[in-house]
Amino acid sequence: MGQAKSACAAMCAPDRSLIQYFLLPKNAPEWYRKIVMGVASGDIHLQDPPEGSLMLLGHISLAVPDLEREQIYYVDGLSLGESQAEKPGELWVNLGPSQIRLSQSTGDAQKWPGEIRIWVEDIRATTDMFNMLGRTLGTDIIGEMKEAIFGGEFSLKMHDPSYTNWIIVSEAPWGWAPKIRAIESDPSKHELEYPAKTKNALCLSDAVVFLPKREQIEGAARFYDHFLGAQLTKKYSVYDYQARMDTFMVHFGPGDRLHQTLTFKSDKDIQIPGNLASVCIYLISKSRFHLAFAKCKKNGLLTVESAKPFEEVEAECEFSITGIIDPQNGSSILPLKHIFRLARHPDAQYTTTPGLSARLRAA
């Protein structure tokens, strides 16, 4: 009997029920098995964020040359909600509790130094929309159709409208959409309509940054540990008989069924681009916010607009820094502007999200 149980457990994906396995048709196709059993059941995004995770990967800001094309791409193609709070001359699109903020550029588009990864409810709907928009945005806007990551039959590696950034679109795990939509988010314009439409895009799951050297990966990990006290998952590979870190993840826990990450990976063929985007990170506790400000000020990282007394920064619930350094030696790693915000910042919509309210009270 014990051997039979072991055999059954071996057949089933990790953390999945035996019942799911035996409900599969005898000759179920591989894509169907992945939907039912889970494509990446051991993936970190399907697990609860670790205790002490940062609050939210808030928004990525990009200056772009053509806002009209961006609106077609994000609002029509990817089915993101357009924020009611966006400023004139800008386009803010909602991805659950996060955003991509686009502003008009007079030059080239800004670059995210890696990949922006989002979850949708139905990957086929995304594909159909971009097939329809092919003449408008270009028939090669979808760079690759790849193997499914979390759910669905496949994932998409897509150019953005300026052909500057990569967007990875994957289907969320089956049945997770209602819980992700329950996380409070910025109100979107489509919610004013009757009946209100349901958007296909669900959330920003991961923002990946590529760096060419493993020394930079190690230094960047020290940055998030020292300046933010962030929870990190580190992965190592053996090079020249020595284990070296080549990947790490910063964890965020904004709400039920949403475990976000900011992932850094080593890629020796990557060149660090100029004209970079910026990223906004929300912190729960005032003490962590204050300590991060003090450490950044001591190391000369504050931007010009944030070089002010902490009392003013606290009142604004926000400060920004010029980029990532290695706190061990002070060397610059990546000039990626970071904006740090307190949970009570006016833009935050998330204080009554289930599971988060207790964390805020504890802070």
Side-chain angles (χ1 to χ4, degrees), residues 292-309 313 319-323 340:
F293 174 81
K295 288 180 177 179
C296 291
K297 182 178 180 179
K298 179 182 177 183
N299 285 270
L301 289 177
L302 298 178
T303 59
V304 173
E305 59 267 25
S306 292
K308 59 184 72 171
V313 168
F319 71 92
S320 57
I321 63 171
T322 55
F340 299 125

Short mmCIF file of all heavy atoms in Angstrom, two decimals, residues 292-309 313 319-323 340:
data_model
loop_
_atom_site.label_atom_id
_atom_site.label_comp_id
_atom_site.label_asym_id
_atom_site.label_seq_id
_atom_site.Cartn_x
_atom_site.Cartn_y
_atom_site.Cartn_z
N ALA A 292 15.59 53.67 5.61
CA ALA A 292 16.03 53.65 4.21
C ALA A 292 16.44 55.04 3.76
O ALA A 292 17.46 55.21 3.08
CB ALA A 292 14.90 53.11 3.33
N PHE A 293 15.67 56.06 4.15
CA PHE A 293 16.00 57.44 3.79
C PHE A 293 17.35 57.84 4.37
O PHE A 293 18.20 58.42 3.69
CB PHE A 293 14.91 58.39 4.28
CG PHE A 293 15.23 59.84 4.08
CD1 PHE A 293 15.04 60.44 2.83
CD2 PHE A 293 15.73 60.61 5.11
CE1 PHE A 293 15.34 61.79 2.64
CE2 PHE A 293 16.04 61.96 4.92
CZ PHE A 293 15.84 62.53 3.68
N ALA A 294 17.56 57.53 5.66
CA ALA A 294 18.81 57.91 6.33
C ALA A 294 20.01 57.24 5.67
O ALA A 294 21.06 57.87 5.46
CB ALA A 294 18.73 57.55 7.81
N LYS A 295 19.89 55.96 5.32
CA LYS A 295 20.99 55.24 4.69
C LYS A 295 21.28 55.79 3.29
O LYS A 295 22.44 55.94 2.90
CB LYS A 295 20.67 53.76 4.62
CG LYS A 295 20.71 53.05 5.96
CD LYS A 295 20.38 51.56 5.81
CE LYS A 295 20.51 50.84 7.14
NZ LYS A 295 20.18 49.40 7.03
N CYS A 296 20.21 56.08 2.54
CA CYS A 296 20.41 56.63 1.19
C CYS A 296 21.04 58.02 1.24
O CYS A 296 21.90 58.36 0.42
CB CYS A 296 19.06 56.68 0.45
SG CYS A 296 18.39 55.06 0.02
N LYS A 297 20.61 58.82 2.22
CA LYS A 297 21.19 60.17 2.39
C LYS A 297 22.67 60.07 2.73
O LYS A 297 23.50 60.80 2.16
CB LYS A 297 20.43 60.92 3.48
CG LYS A 297 20.93 62.34 3.70
CD LYS A 297 20.10 63.05 4.76
CE LYS A 297 20.60 64.48 4.98
NZ LYS A 297 19.78 65.18 6.01
N LYS A 298 23.03 59.18 3.64
CA LYS A 298 24.42 59.02 4.04
C LYS A 298 25.30 58.62 2.86
O LYS A 298 26.46 59.04 2.77
CB LYS A 298 24.52 57.96 5.14
CG LYS A 298 25.94 57.70 5.61
CD LYS A 298 25.99 56.59 6.66
CE LYS A 298 27.43 56.29 7.06
NZ LYS A 298 27.52 55.18 8.03
N ASN A 299 24.75 57.83 1.94
CA ASN A 299 25.53 57.34 0.80
C ASN A 299 25.41 58.22 -0.44
O ASN A 299 25.86 57.84 -1.52
CB ASN A 299 25.11 55.91 0.47
CG ASN A 299 25.64 54.90 1.46
OD1 ASN A 299 26.73 54.36 1.28
ND2 ASN A 299 24.90 54.66 2.53
N GLY A 300 24.77 59.38 -0.30
CA GLY A 300 24.68 60.33 -1.42
C GLY A 300 23.81 59.86 -2.56
O GLY A 300 24.03 60.24 -3.71
N LEU A 301 22.77 59.07 -2.26
CA LEU A 301 21.91 58.52 -3.31
C LEU A 301 20.68 59.33 -3.60
O LEU A 301 20.00 59.10 -4.61
CB LEU A 301 21.48 57.09 -2.92
CG LEU A 301 22.56 56.01 -2.96
CD1 LEU A 301 21.98 54.69 -2.48
CD2 LEU A 301 23.12 55.86 -4.36
N LEU A 302 20.32 60.27 -2.75
CA LEU A 302 19.08 61.02 -2.93
C LEU A 302 19.12 61.86 -4.20
O LEU A 302 20.15 62.45 -4.56
CB LEU A 302 18.82 61.94 -1.73
CG LEU A 302 18.64 61.26 -0.36
CD1 LEU A 302 18.44 62.33 0.71
CD2 LEU A 302 17.46 60.30 -0.38
N THR A 303 17.99 61.90 -4.90
CA THR A 303 17.87 62.81 -6.04
C THR A 303 17.78 64.24 -5.53
O THR A 303 17.56 64.48 -4.33
CB THR A 303 16.62 62.48 -6.86
OG1 THR A 303 15.46 62.59 -6.01
CG2 THR A 303 16.69 61.06 -7.44
N VAL A 304 17.91 65.19 -6.43
CA VAL A 304 17.87 66.61 -6.04
C VAL A 304 16.56 66.94 -5.34
O VAL A 304 16.53 67.63 -4.30
CB VAL A 304 18.07 67.50 -7.28
CG1 VAL A 304 17.86 68.97 -6.92
CG2 VAL A 304 19.45 67.29 -7.88
N GLU A 305 15.43 66.42 -5.88
CA GLU A 305 14.13 66.77 -5.29
C GLU A 305 13.90 66.12 -3.92
O GLU A 305 13.00 66.55 -3.19
CB GLU A 305 13.00 66.37 -6.24
CG GLU A 305 12.93 64.90 -6.61
CD GLU A 305 13.68 64.55 -7.87
OE1 GLU A 305 14.62 65.27 -8.23
OE2 GLU A 305 13.30 63.54 -8.51
N SER A 306 14.70 65.12 -3.58
CA SER A 306 14.52 64.46 -2.28
C SER A 306 15.56 64.87 -1.25
O SER A 306 15.53 64.39 -0.11
CB SER A 306 14.59 62.93 -2.45
OG SER A 306 13.48 62.46 -3.18
N ALA A 307 16.47 65.77 -1.61
CA ALA A 307 17.49 66.25 -0.69
C ALA A 307 16.89 67.31 0.22
O ALA A 307 17.09 68.51 0.04
CB ALA A 307 18.69 66.80 -1.46
N LYS A 308 16.14 66.86 1.22
CA LYS A 308 15.42 67.75 2.13
C LYS A 308 15.33 67.07 3.48
O LYS A 308 15.61 65.86 3.60
CB LYS A 308 14.03 68.06 1.57
CG LYS A 308 13.17 66.84 1.35
CD LYS A 308 11.83 67.18 0.70
CE LYS A 308 11.98 67.55 -0.75
NZ LYS A 308 10.68 67.68 -1.44
N PRO A 309 14.92 67.80 4.53
CA PRO A 309 14.79 67.17 5.85
C PRO A 309 13.77 66.04 5.84
O PRO A 309 12.80 66.06 5.06
CB PRO A 309 14.31 68.33 6.74
CG PRO A 309 14.75 69.57 6.04
CD PRO A 309 14.66 69.26 4.58
N VAL A 313 10.02 64.90 3.85
CA VAL A 313 9.89 63.64 3.13
C VAL A 313 8.75 62.81 3.73
O VAL A 313 7.93 62.23 3.01
CB VAL A 313 11.21 62.85 3.19
CG1 VAL A 313 11.03 61.42 2.71
CG2 VAL A 313 12.27 63.55 2.35
N PHE A 319 10.35 59.51 -1.25
CA PHE A 319 11.63 60.06 -1.64
C PHE A 319 12.18 59.20 -2.77
O PHE A 319 11.71 58.08 -3.02
CB PHE A 319 12.62 60.13 -0.46
CG PHE A 319 13.14 58.81 0.03
CD1 PHE A 319 14.33 58.27 -0.47
CD2 PHE A 319 12.47 58.11 1.02
CE1 PHE A 319 14.82 57.06 -0.01
CE2 PHE A 319 12.96 56.90 1.49
CZ PHE A 319 14.13 56.36 0.98
N SER A 320 13.16 59.71 -3.49
CA SER A 320 13.71 58.98 -4.64
C SER A 320 15.23 59.00 -4.60
O SER A 320 15.85 59.88 -4.00
CB SER A 320 13.21 59.58 -5.95
OG SER A 320 13.53 60.96 -6.05
N ILE A 321 15.82 57.98 -5.26
CA ILE A 321 17.27 57.86 -5.33
C ILE A 321 17.69 57.70 -6.79
O ILE A 321 16.88 57.34 -7.65
CB ILE A 321 17.79 56.69 -4.49
CG1 ILE A 321 17.26 55.35 -5.02
CG2 ILE A 321 17.42 56.87 -3.02
CD1 ILE A 321 17.89 54.14 -4.37
N THR A 322 18.95 57.92 -7.05
CA THR A 322 19.45 57.94 -8.43
C THR A 322 19.72 56.57 -9.01
O THR A 322 19.77 56.41 -10.23
CB THR A 322 20.74 58.76 -8.50
OG1 THR A 322 21.69 58.23 -7.55
CG2 THR A 322 20.47 60.23 -8.17
N GLY A 323 19.91 55.55 -8.15
CA GLY A 323 20.20 54.24 -8.69
C GLY A 323 20.70 53.27 -7.64
O GLY A 323 20.63 53.54 -6.43
N PHE A 340 10.67 55.51 -3.44
CA PHE A 340 10.20 54.77 -2.27
C PHE A 340 9.04 55.53 -1.64
O PHE A 340 9.15 56.73 -1.37
CB PHE A 340 11.33 54.59 -1.26
CG PHE A 340 12.50 53.80 -1.80
CD1 PHE A 340 13.78 54.31 -1.77
CD2 PHE A 340 12.31 52.54 -2.34
CE1 PHE A 340 14.85 53.59 -2.26
CE2 PHE A 340 13.38 51.80 -2.85
CZ PHE A 340 14.65 52.33 -2.80
#
